[in-house]
Amino acid sequence: MELSATLAEMAGVPVEAFRLLVTLIAGYPIAAIYRKLIVDLENKALHHLFFAFCGLSLCYFNYGKDTYHSLLAISVTFVLVHLLRGAPHVMLGVNFVFHMGYLLLGYYFTASNEYDILWTMPHCILTLRMIGFGFDVADGLKPVSNLSKEQSETALKHPPSFLQLLAYAYFPSGFLVGPQFPYRRYQNFTNGDFRQYEGCVDAGLKRLGMGVLYLIVCQLGLAYLPDNYFLTPEFAEQHFIKRIFFLGFWAKFTLYKYISCWLFAEGALMCIGFTYKGRDAQGNPDWSGCTNVKLMLLETGNTMEHYVQSFNVNTNQWVAQYIFKRLKFLNNRNISYAAALGFLAVWHGYHSGYYMAFLMEYMIVSTEKQIDRVYTKEVLPRYGETLNNSMIYKALYFVSLKSYNIVYMGWCLTSFVFLKYERWITVFRAVNYFGFVYMLIWACLFHGYRHFISKPPQNREPAAKASTVKQATD
């Protein structure tokens, strides 16, 4: 740890960030050692011991004695699963409350104005993993006919041993920044189900290369547009168009910080042969089973929904499977969606910026769906042929959507990064609250259009019939 502190000081980066990067890169030599020395051993306990030891060592390298938090959380889940397996609803409730409560207590005692690299960072990953594990154990007690396709693929009929659970929870390259994956994937991997397929190392090294590229772009971009610049009078004095585009490009560079970490983790998981998904369209092995970011969609997408679909994919899938779809009994997709976003906000912590960010996501995605509905149902049927044959329109359409994509990403990410109300509201004020203003204008136009213009004409036939009856009665 002293050596890492010295090297971090020489590199001019915080020691916590340096250790995080070293830990992510360590996944590659660990993958090489496993494939060279461990993979052919018939004693599966040695596989579990190797992963548990490597993960615990890396966790201690980053957080020292604070590693006990994750050990305690894993131990509690193990005990709950074995003691309360006969009462699955009680087990699920206690397991959920314990992990979320422990995480929130951790946030309460450690939070600051910045995004801190503390023991709570991997613990939020562990929280989802242990809650999902509890659901999978409970699903394993149900008849297969009562399970959805996703649930049947992750259900566990027999809980693992404590060593197996430790290895799963501390799996190298997966415990620090994600991605999320069910115990069944770890089980299939250690059973050798993916060993017959080729190409994992090549796929992993390509992912590593992309991670290096994104990290370089991130560092160059944030050197030109650092976070604190947006809190200065100098930024507020720039031209409005400059301000909103600066904010948008800053958001892109900030996202690249997260993306580079995920790419490093994904590449190591690919190299060890963990991420097999099936065959692709060409019949080749597909190693994208733990992909946390869809780069092509992220870079070519034009809407906030594209960001949601391409960013932090595994966490979103986890929330969809274990929160959103399990609220089906509410019989209302909007309420379930809002509850899922609310859970994500609470999972991130107490800072008001998280809640504003997820509120903005909900509002903007809803607004995009309204605009798309008007465009496809009202505009295209009337002017579609003319617009589709116009090169000028196509160019304007592309530039407008791309500009919207960049600008609104800056607006949405501001509160997520600046966290404290007095910080993110300063940036909102500096860009004239444009995100609120334009959405409010659209809401007025949309509801006014629905009420006054697109409202169907009154059916006068019942009135005519009533008049005839009245005359006959008279």
Side-chain angles (χ1 to χ4, degrees):
M1 287 189 178
E2 292 179 1
L3 176 61
S4 64
T6 303
L7 293 174
E9 185 177 356
M10 292 172 59
V13 297
V15 63
E16 296 84 4
F18 180 80
R19 287 175 184 156
L20 171 65
L21 183 60
V22 169
T23 301
L24 293 174
I25 299 300
Y28 294 88
I30 288 173
I33 292 170
Y34 178 77
R35 291 175 63 84
K36 186 72 175 177
L37 302 177
I38 310 294
V39 71
D40 291 322
L41 297 178
E42 293 184 5
N43 187 347
K44 297 302 178 184
L46 295 177
H47 296 239
H48 304 313
L49 186 63
F50 175 77
F51 293 129
F53 173 77
C54 290
L56 265 167
S57 299
L58 290 173
C59 189
Y60 187 82
F61 168 69
N62 282 270
Y63 308 110
K65 60 181 174 50
D66 283 335
T67 301
Y68 83 86
H69 293 290
S70 53
L71 276 172
L72 175 62
I74 296 165
S75 301
V76 168
T77 291
F78 180 78
V79 171
L80 289 175
V81 163
H82 283 79
L83 283 185
L84 300 177
R85 193 160 176 257
H89 289 93
V90 176
M91 182 267 290
L92 285 175
V94 175
N95 191 51
F96 185 95
V97 170
F98 169 78
H99 285 291
M100 287 300 294
Y102 199 100
L103 179 65
L104 292 175
L105 280 173
Y107 287 150
Y108 179 79
F109 287 109
T110 63
S112 70
N113 288 337
E114 308 290 339
Y115 187 87
D116 303 304
I117 302 179
L118 302 170
W119 66 267
T120 51
M121 188 185 75
H123 204 88
C124 72
I125 304 296
L126 180 67
T127 295
L128 296 191
R129 193 162 295 175
M130 292 296 98
I131 290 175
F133 175 77
F135 275 110
D136 293 338
V137 171
D139 288 341
L141 300 172
K142 300 176 183 177
V144 177
S145 58
N146 291 351
L147 301 177
S148 67
K149 182 176 181 296
E150 284 180 336
Q151 291 170 351
S152 62
E153 291 173 351
T154 59
L156 291 171
K157 291 193 174 297
H158 305 289
S161 68
F162 185 65
L163 176 61
Q164 291 170 326
L165 187 59
L166 276 179
Y168 165 64
Y170 283 117
F171 195 82
S173 300
F175 81 92
L176 197 57
V177 296
Q180 292 296 338
F181 49 83
Y183 182 83
R184 283 277 291 273
R185 172 171 287 278
Y186 173 76
Q187 190 177 55
N188 292 338
F189 167 72
T190 52
N191 287 340
D193 294 352
F194 306 149
R195 287 180 57 191
Q196 58 185 301
Y197 305 107
E198 299 178 349
C200 62
V201 175
D202 289 342
L205 293 178
K206 288 178 183 176
R207 214 65 175 168
L208 171 63
M210 293 302 297
V212 172
L213 176 61
Y214 271 81
L215 183 60
I216 292 172
V217 174
C218 163
Q219 293 302 311
L220 292 175
L222 292 181
Y224 181 72
L225 293 171
D227 294 357
N228 290 336
Y229 169 68
F230 297 93
L231 300 172
T232 64
E234 181 186 350
F235 170 68
E237 291 167 2
Q238 298 286 346
H239 188 277
F240 176 70
I241 298 298
K242 232 181 192 181
R243 273 177 278 154
I244 61 176
F245 273 94
F246 275 2
L247 194 65
F249 284 116
W250 161 82
K252 274 277 190 184
F253 300 140
T254 300
L255 285 182
Y256 289 173
K257 178 168 56 178
Y258 299 100
I259 290 169
S260 60
C261 291
W262 290 335
L263 290 174
F264 289 143
E266 290 172 28
L269 289 172
M270 289 177 178
C271 284
I272 207 171
F274 188 82
T275 62
Y276 181 74
K277 187 178 180 180
R279 296 280 181 178
D280 60 20
Q282 289 73 41
N284 300 316
D286 182 358
W287 292 100
S288 64
C290 291
T291 295
N292 214 19
V293 56
K294 298 178 181 178
L295 294 177
M296 186 61 69
L297 180 60
L298 180 83
E299 300 297 350
T300 61
N302 296 320
T303 65
M304 181 58 59
E305 191 163 19
H306 288 151
Y307 275 115
V308 174
Q309 294 169 354
S310 63
F311 187 80
N312 210 357
V313 175
N314 284 93
T315 301
N316 291 335
Q317 288 175 347
W318 188 98
V319 172
Q321 179 174 348
Y322 294 106
I323 304 296
F324 178 79
K325 292 181 181 178
R326 292 176 191 265
L327 295 176
K328 189 177 180 180
F329 66 90
L330 296 175
N331 203 28
N332 188 303
R333 290 179 62 86
N334 289 329
I335 294 177
S336 298
Y337 181 45
L341 289 179
F343 171 82
L344 275 176
V346 173
W347 174 66
H348 277 87
Y350 294 107
H351 291 300
S352 61
Y354 292 134
Y355 297 87
M356 175 55 69
F358 286 107
L359 174 63
M360 292 308 303
E361 177 188 325
Y362 179 80
M363 293 173 64
I364 291 174
V365 169
S366 299
T367 299
E368 286 177 352
K369 290 179 179 179
Q370 292 173 356
I371 294 173
D372 183 67
R373 192 157 58 244
V374 171
Y375 182 75
T376 54
K377 291 185 177 181
E378 302 292 340
V379 177
L380 286 183
R382 298 179 186 179
Y383 312 107
E385 186 175 351
T386 302
L387 295 176
N388 290 332
N389 292 328
S390 171
M391 295 303 296
I392 296 176
Y393 170 75
K394 289 180 180 179
L396 288 174
Y397 183 82
F398 175 80
V399 171
S400 299
L401 278 181
K402 254 317 165 197
S403 298
Y404 159 78
N405 175 263
I406 294 170
V407 166
Y408 256 88
M409 190 63 231
W411 172 263
C412 285
L413 202 65
T414 294
S415 61
F416 190 89
V417 172
F418 288 100
L419 297 178
K420 291 284 189 179
Y421 171 80
E422 57 270 19
R423 287 160 59 85
W424 57 259
I425 201 66
T426 299
V427 184
F428 278 10
R429 188 184 305 117
V431 292
N432 302 341
Y433 304 98
F434 77 89
F436 292 136
V437 172
Y438 293 138
M439 278 198 296
L440 181 60
I441 292 173
W442 166 257
C444 294
L445 291 174
F446 178 70
H447 291 289
Y449 173 81
R450 289 180 63 190
H451 186 73
F452 295 108
I453 299 176
S454 65
K455 193 174 182 180
Q458 294 291 329
N459 187 356
R460 300 188 179 185
E461 185 180 354
K465 287 183 178 179
S467 177
T468 304
V469 171
K470 185 176 184 301
Q471 290 176 6
T473 305
D474 293 342

